[in-house]
Amino acid sequence: MSAAFVDRQQVGRRFSRVAASYDRADFFAREVDRRMQDRLDYVKLAPQHILDLGCSRGGSFAALSARYPEARLVGLDLSAEMLQAGRSPRAGWQRWLGIGGANEPARLAADAAQLPIKSRSTALVWSNLLLHWLDDPLPALAEAHRVLEVGGLLMFSTLGPDSLKELRGAFGDGYAHTQRFIDMHDLGDMLVGCGFADPVMDMEVITLTYDD
């Protein structure tokens, strides 16, 4: 059996280490989130329960809550530190005093491949830039299918094979200096294999430039 290409526990430790300042450097994730939110304009859905899979500090919470104010939102992430860093001090005081905060998203520290959530209990599974951090996304996709209601929606983003190609090209030592990124057609096959119907895959190129 070959060794894992992505060390999930190491990923969790590294995200936990930067949790306190992550919101000052997640501009790329927020841009992808904005584009995903735009696509929800074309989806007829009135979810009562939403699961944000790999939510980190909860950067998608505000837009999802504004779009679906009646929905119960649960954010799940491997890093408990990320979840804690995203909590607002005001929400903590509200819970302690027993006032307000009724729509404050719940937060769960758990593995995307082993969701502590009842089957057929969620109308929308939302996942922004999680799958490429998993050595094998298939178990997480299967779990998303398990917890979705019949007619529910899985909406996710991930990085594709062309990601960081400039970085890979800068090395000539024959070693991989980035994780691998799965082609969207292979992800589509995985979705069908998990039982999803009519998967729609879309690709965009986002170019980041730096001063130095």
Side-chain angles (χ1 to χ4, degrees):
M1 183 176 181
S2 61
F5 196 89
V6 177
D7 184 337
R8 182 166 41 193
Q9 298 307 316
Q10 177 73 345
V11 169
R13 286 192 294 270
R14 290 189 176 186
F15 271 107
S16 295
R17 194 180 304 153
V18 300
S21 59
Y22 184 69
D23 63 332
R24 299 197 293 272
D26 65 344
F27 57 90
F28 176 70
R30 300 282 60 81
E31 174 61 22
V32 176
D33 177 81
R34 183 189 65 77
R35 298 183 187 209
M36 289 175 67
Q37 295 281 349
D38 287 345
R39 282 160 174 73
L40 285 176
D41 292 342
Y42 305 100
V43 177
K44 291 184 178 180
L45 194 69
Q48 293 300 304
H49 295 90
I50 300 172
L51 172 63
D52 186 345
L53 202 55
C55 67
S56 64
R57 288 175 52 120
S60 298
F61 287 176
L64 288 172
S65 295
R67 183 179 291 271
Y68 305 114
E70 301 301 318
R72 180 66 172 137
L73 177 58
V74 175
L76 183 145
D77 200 90
L78 187 64
S79 169
E81 287 80 3
M82 274 286 192
L83 296 170
Q84 183 60 36
R87 292 184 183 275
S88 69
R90 175 179 295 181
W93 278 105
Q94 286 177 331
R95 286 193 301 272
W96 187 78
L97 293 171
I99 61 173
N103 292 325
E104 173 72 11
R107 291 169 169 84
L108 292 176
D111 190 332
Q114 295 178 308
L115 298 178
I117 295 174
K118 290 171 54 177
S119 299
R120 304 290 177 262
S121 62
T122 305
L124 172 62
V125 174
W126 176 271
S127 183
N128 181 24
L129 297 176
L130 165 69
L131 294 184
H132 55 270
W133 292 113
L134 307 178
D135 190 61
D136 180 6
L138 188 58
L141 294 175
E143 278 290 85
H145 184 270
R146 178 184 66 80
V147 303
L148 274 174
E149 302 170 355
V150 175
L153 173 68
L154 166 64
M155 192 163 187
F156 69 88
S157 62
T158 188
L159 300 181
D162 285 339
S163 300
L164 304 180
K165 62 182 180 180
E166 297 87 356
L167 178 60
R168 291 194 297 273
F171 292 93
D173 55 11
Y175 290 96
H177 290 270
T178 72
Q179 66 229 65
R180 63 186 172 208
F181 302 109
I182 299 175
D183 185 87
M184 67 177 181
H185 298 99
D186 294 327
L187 285 169
D189 291 341
M190 290 182 188
L191 290 168
V192 172
C194 290
F196 285 97
D198 303 321
V200 177
M201 311 299 291
D202 186 19
M203 188 271 286
E204 288 191 49
V205 175
I206 301 178
T207 301
L208 305 181
T209 58
Y210 299 86
D211 292 335
D212 56 40

